[in-house]
Every structure is written in structure tokens, then in C-alpha cells.
Amino acid sequence: TDMDTADEAVRATCDDATTCKRFATSKGYWKDPYIQYFVRSVGERKAPEINRGYYARVQGVNHLLDAFIKKAECDCQIINLGAGLDTTFWRLKDQNLLPRKIFEVDFPTVVARKIHNIKTKPPLSKPIIETHSTDSLLLDAHSLDSDRYCIIGSDLRDISNLDEKLKKFQLNPELPTLLLSECVLVYMTPSQSSSLAHWAAETFHTAMFINYEQVNMTDRFGQVMIENLQRRQCTLAGAEACQSLDSQKERFLRTGWDHADALDMMTVYSMLPQDDVARIERLEFLDEKELLQQLLQHYSICWATKDKLSLGLSQLAF
Ligand code: SAM
């Protein structure tokens, strides 16, 4: 059916993200020794502005994520919604920043592929085994469950299934919880993404939600971005929710979150540690500075918090 084709195209977007991240790391934009196990080859060259865009995305999201973990002193959990082939578990383990448990959710077919890679590649499986205390590690074709890392196949538009599966794998609603969605909500309708934000606000009393996605899609540049995705059969059901930074914040403020902030990625880029920005700007010559600016202005990070435990989450920023 058309619906299946659309979902299949959405599932394929995780390969794009991983391929672009792999290419940028091969150029030295940032380090990720694990991504090579998820995409075999470095692939064709990506334009410098794409690499810088991914740099801003990864550094921007990691900045907030690491700040949350430090505030909670690792006594917290992460739920990565639409995680795709994300390598955050391995990075945090190497940096001694592992929370109590990381949960990842994606479509069952994406999860099956990720688990297959983990099973067959010791550099991926060893850290999971090392952080697991008993011999009861669950690693079948459709789910992985260890003490510190859990991967679940579920459709994020089906909240009751999501809630049930997370609880089955020992999600703890009492722990400070970081929810992350990176280029995911845009594929859902505004009502579906609002339901997800509402479920999270209802489930956790102390939490932060980080959402990275397209914004300002109403201008000419935004229309071209939408057309490019549509050409690959991807329905951007959420494009109308990506109108402005205010609408990004509203999605959370209307669904039970106490505090929300949003910045476009041009602003984030200018607030990242400038010595490292200077380093990556020397990696590749960029002719069209304006193109980079336009690209960065069409993506945003929005973060929302609620903080019953008074950890100081509303102070987290750039
Ligand atoms: N967050 C990852 C990253 O940044 O590398 C992957 C991003 S990729 C563009 C979008 C991911 O969201 C895909 O892996 C896709 O399968 C997942 N996704 C989109 N809609 C979903 C849904 N309704 N249920 C579960 N996963 C979904």
C-alpha cells in the first residue's frame, strides 16, 4: 500500500543520516570509532556545507545531552526515539558518562538490522556484555535487553504499545529521563508528535526532551527541502509543525512541559566552542558561506524540561 511505501521511505532515512555522519567523521569533523560498523563504506563525497551541518547537529545535541547527564550525575535514563543506527551508547561508555540505562526505539525492521550488526561485530557487542552483570542478556532478532542498553522495535505513533514495551524492559518513571528525537517528529503528523510529547510529560516528573528537526519551512529554501524529501516518497507529515521556533516550543508548552527553549542551528553553530569550530572550518574549503547559513537556519534544536526534583534542568542551555 501507499502507507507501507511511505513508512519504508522513512525507515531508509536512517541510512542517510548514518552515511553522512560516517563521511563527516572520515574527514575529521568529530570522532566516532563505532559508526564504521553500521555503514560499510565511507561512500561518495558530501559537500562541505552538509558536513558542517552534521557537525552542528551532532555537537549541538551532544552538548545538551551531556549537560543533562552531568546534572543528574548519571543517575538517569535516556530514551532515544527513532534512534536509527545512533552510536551514543558506545560514546557515553567510553567517556564514563553512561546513564543507568539507554533505551532506543525504532521500527522493528530498523531495529533488526541494528541488532544484527551488534551481534556480528565484537567491537559493538563487547561493551554491552561488559556492562551487563548476569548471564540473562536478551539478544534476539527483534530486541536487545541488557542492564545498561535496550533496543525496542515499536511504532512511535502507537503510544500504548510504546509504553507497554518500555515498561516490560524496566523503564523507571521515577528516574530523571532524557528523551531525544533527532529528525524523527517531522515524519509524524502534528497530532501524533504532540501525543508523544504529552505521553512523555505525563510519564516522567523530572525530564528533558530534546528535539532536532527542520524549521522555517515556509520560505522558498524550505519548500525545496520538502520537495527533495517528497521525491523520495517521504511524507513530511509534520512539516506544518515546523513553521517557527515558537511553534517548536508551543508543541511542548501545550502538552505539559514547564519550560521550553528553541534555537536555529545558525545560532547554535555560533555558540559552540569556537576553537573547535575554527578547527573544522580549516578541514575543507567552503566557497558558499551563504548556502551554509541558509541550511543552518532551516534546522533547529528545541528542548523542554520539567523538574520536580529541582536538578536545575531549566538552566541547561548553550
Ligand atoms: N535519530 C537518528 C539519527 O539522527 O541518526 C535517525 C534519524 S532518521 C532521519 C529517522 C529515524 O526515525 C529512522 O530510523 C526511522 O525509522 C525512525 N522513525 C520515523 N518514524 C518512526 C515511527 N513512527 N516509529 C518508529 N521509528 C520511526
Side-chain angles (χ1 to χ4, degrees), residues 3 12 21 35 57 66 79 87 96 102 137 145 169 201 204 230 234 238 253 291 303:
M3 212 42 215
K21 288 176 181 177
I35 203 160
R57 163 173 169 177
D66 293 4
I79 308 175
T87 55
N96 271 319
I102 298 182
L137 190 116
D145 187 41
F169 291 114
F204 307 103
Q230 280 169 347
C234 269
L253 294 172
L291 192 56
W303 63 102

Side-chain angles (χ1 to χ4, degrees), residues 40-146:
R40 238 172 276 138
S41 72
V42 170
E44 50 184 86
R45 195 179 163 275
K46 306 286 184 300
E49 64 271 13
I50 302 290
N51 299 329
R52 290 191 192 182
Y54 270 92
Y55 169 84
R57 163 173 169 177
V58 169
Q59 302 300 315
V61 168
N62 287 352
H63 169 83
L64 290 174
L65 190 122
D66 293 4
F68 175 90
I69 295 174
K70 286 171 188 164
K71 273 265 187 247
E73 297 175 347
C74 297
D75 201 10
C76 61
Q77 60 198 353
I78 295 178
I79 308 175
N80 191 340
L81 304 162
L85 305 173
D86 188 279
T87 55
T88 298
F89 167 80
W90 294 274
R91 177 181 74 83
L92 292 177
K93 174 168 188 297
D94 285 349
Q95 296 183 352
N96 271 319
L97 275 179
L98 211 54
R100 285 235 221 142
K101 192 161 180 175
I102 298 182
F103 297 85
E104 291 184 352
V105 184
D106 209 299
F107 284 119
T109 50
V110 174
V111 164
R113 277 183 45 208
K114 187 166 194 173
I115 290 177
H116 176 77
N117 281 315
I118 292 173
K119 268 188 178 169
T120 52
K121 297 184 172 126
L124 296 178
S125 54
K126 255 185 75 195
I128 299 174
I129 295 163
E130 271 170 31
T131 51
H132 188 73
S133 57
T134 63
D135 50 11
S136 62
L137 190 116
L138 168 71
L139 189 60
D140 64 27
H142 307 286
S143 30
L144 178 159
D145 187 41
S146 71

Side-chain angles (χ1 to χ4, degrees), residues 184-197:
V184 174
L185 301 189
V186 72
Y187 301 108
M188 308 170 28
T189 65
S191 104
Q192 288 162 343
S193 57
S194 289
S195 300
L196 200 55

Side-chain angles (χ1 to χ4, degrees), residues 31 94 100 166 204 212 214 217 283:
K31 289 198 175 76
D94 285 349
R100 285 235 221 142
L166 285 168
F204 307 103
Y212 173 93
Q214 290 86 340
M217 297 297 269
L283 291 175

